[in-house]
mmCIF file of all heavy atoms in Angstrom:
data_model
loop_
_atom_site.group_PDB
_atom_site.id
_atom_site.type_symbol
_atom_site.label_atom_id
_atom_site.label_comp_id
_atom_site.label_asym_id
_atom_site.label_seq_id
_atom_site.Cartn_x
_atom_site.Cartn_y
_atom_site.Cartn_z
ATOM 1 N N HIS A 122 14.614 -50.825 55.875
ATOM 2 C CA HIS A 122 15.100 -50.047 54.732
ATOM 3 C C HIS A 122 13.960 -49.409 53.918
ATOM 4 O O HIS A 122 14.051 -48.245 53.508
ATOM 5 C CB HIS A 122 15.930 -50.983 53.842
ATOM 6 C CG HIS A 122 16.511 -50.335 52.636
ATOM 7 N ND1 HIS A 122 17.649 -49.562 52.679
ATOM 8 C CD2 HIS A 122 16.110 -50.346 51.346
ATOM 9 C CE1 HIS A 122 17.923 -49.130 51.462
ATOM 10 N NE2 HIS A 122 17.000 -49.586 50.626
ATOM 11 N N HIS A 126 12.917 -45.516 52.884
ATOM 12 C CA HIS A 126 12.538 -44.908 51.596
ATOM 13 C C HIS A 126 11.185 -44.199 51.702
ATOM 14 O O HIS A 126 11.006 -43.086 51.217
ATOM 15 C CB HIS A 126 12.436 -45.988 50.514
ATOM 16 C CG HIS A 126 13.757 -46.368 49.906
ATOM 17 N ND1 HIS A 126 14.621 -45.444 49.346
ATOM 18 C CD2 HIS A 126 14.361 -47.567 49.757
ATOM 19 C CE1 HIS A 126 15.695 -46.072 48.874
ATOM 20 N NE2 HIS A 126 15.561 -47.360 49.114
ATOM 21 N N GLY A 148 15.294 -51.150 43.660
ATOM 22 C CA GLY A 148 15.901 -52.281 42.965
ATOM 23 C C GLY A 148 15.310 -53.610 43.406
ATOM 24 O O GLY A 148 15.342 -54.592 42.675
ATOM 25 N N GLY A 174 13.105 -51.545 39.444
ATOM 26 C CA GLY A 174 14.531 -51.209 39.325
ATOM 27 C C GLY A 174 15.317 -52.366 38.724
ATOM 28 O O GLY A 174 16.232 -52.177 37.908
ATOM 29 N N ASP A 178 17.636 -52.583 35.431
ATOM 30 C CA ASP A 178 19.006 -53.111 35.446
ATOM 31 C C ASP A 178 19.188 -54.230 34.417
ATOM 32 O O ASP A 178 20.197 -54.283 33.709
ATOM 33 C CB ASP A 178 19.372 -53.606 36.858
ATOM 34 C CG ASP A 178 19.417 -52.452 37.863
ATOM 35 O OD1 ASP A 178 19.630 -51.302 37.433
ATOM 36 O OD2 ASP A 178 19.220 -52.699 39.067
ATOM 37 N N GLY A 191 19.382 -48.156 35.731
ATOM 38 C CA GLY A 191 18.375 -47.084 35.706
ATOM 39 C C GLY A 191 18.904 -45.779 35.131
ATOM 40 O O GLY A 191 18.383 -45.284 34.112
ATOM 41 N N GLY A 280 14.866 -45.819 44.566
ATOM 42 C CA GLY A 280 15.817 -45.458 43.511
ATOM 43 C C GLY A 280 15.192 -45.031 42.192
ATOM 44 O O GLY A 280 15.623 -44.060 41.578
ATOM 45 N N ASN A 284 14.003 -41.094 38.497
ATOM 46 C CA ASN A 284 13.816 -41.031 37.040
ATOM 47 C C ASN A 284 13.005 -39.792 36.633
ATOM 48 O O ASN A 284 11.857 -39.622 37.045
ATOM 49 C CB ASN A 284 13.107 -42.312 36.565
ATOM 50 C CG ASN A 284 13.020 -42.378 35.063
ATOM 51 O OD1 ASN A 284 12.144 -41.794 34.452
ATOM 52 N ND2 ASN A 284 13.961 -43.076 34.458
ATOM 53 N N THR A 311 17.689 -42.705 45.891
ATOM 54 C CA THR A 311 18.471 -43.938 46.019
ATOM 55 C C THR A 311 18.939 -44.077 47.471
ATOM 56 O O THR A 311 18.705 -43.186 48.300
ATOM 57 C CB THR A 311 19.677 -43.886 45.047
ATOM 58 O OG1 THR A 311 20.231 -42.583 45.107
ATOM 59 C CG2 THR A 311 19.258 -44.157 43.632
ATOM 60 N N ASP A 312 19.598 -45.194 47.771
ATOM 61 C CA ASP A 312 19.962 -45.485 49.164
ATOM 62 C C ASP A 312 20.830 -44.377 49.772
ATOM 63 O O ASP A 312 21.719 -43.854 49.108
ATOM 64 C CB ASP A 312 20.703 -46.828 49.213
ATOM 65 C CG ASP A 312 19.783 -47.968 48.838
ATOM 66 O OD1 ASP A 312 18.556 -47.752 48.778
ATOM 67 O OD2 ASP A 312 20.288 -49.080 48.607
HETATM 68 O O1 LIG B 2 16.546 -47.605 46.312
HETATM 69 P P1 LIG B 2 17.751 -48.088 45.605
HETATM 70 O O2 LIG B 2 18.967 -47.200 45.603
HETATM 71 O O3 LIG B 2 18.229 -49.469 46.166
HETATM 72 C C1 LIG B 2 17.328 -50.465 46.559
HETATM 73 O O4 LIG B 2 16.763 -50.356 47.668
HETATM 74 O O5 LIG B 2 17.136 -51.369 45.720
HETATM 75 O O6 LIG B 2 17.305 -48.415 44.110
HETATM 76 C C2 LIG B 2 18.216 -48.844 43.165
HETATM 77 C C3 LIG B 2 17.488 -49.042 41.846
HETATM 78 C C4 LIG B 2 18.370 -49.672 40.791
HETATM 79 O O7 LIG B 2 17.657 -50.730 40.195
HETATM 80 C C5 LIG B 2 18.608 -48.535 39.818
HETATM 81 O O8 LIG B 2 18.802 -48.963 38.473
HETATM 82 C C6 LIG B 2 17.337 -47.725 39.960
HETATM 83 O O9 LIG B 2 17.042 -47.778 41.335
HETATM 84 N N1 LIG B 2 17.527 -46.317 39.541
HETATM 85 C C7 LIG B 2 16.858 -45.759 38.516
HETATM 86 C C8 LIG B 2 17.365 -44.426 38.400
HETATM 87 N N2 LIG B 2 18.296 -44.239 39.375
HETATM 88 C C9 LIG B 2 18.381 -45.406 40.059
HETATM 89 N N3 LIG B 2 15.930 -46.247 37.683
HETATM 90 C C10 LIG B 2 15.458 -45.431 36.725
HETATM 91 N N4 LIG B 2 15.896 -44.164 36.540
HETATM 92 C C11 LIG B 2 16.833 -43.622 37.343
HETATM 93 N N5 LIG B 2 17.243 -42.361 37.152
#
Side-chain angles (χ1 to χ4, degrees):
H122 181 80
H126 278 306
D178 295 336
N284 186 278
T311 42
D312 293 348

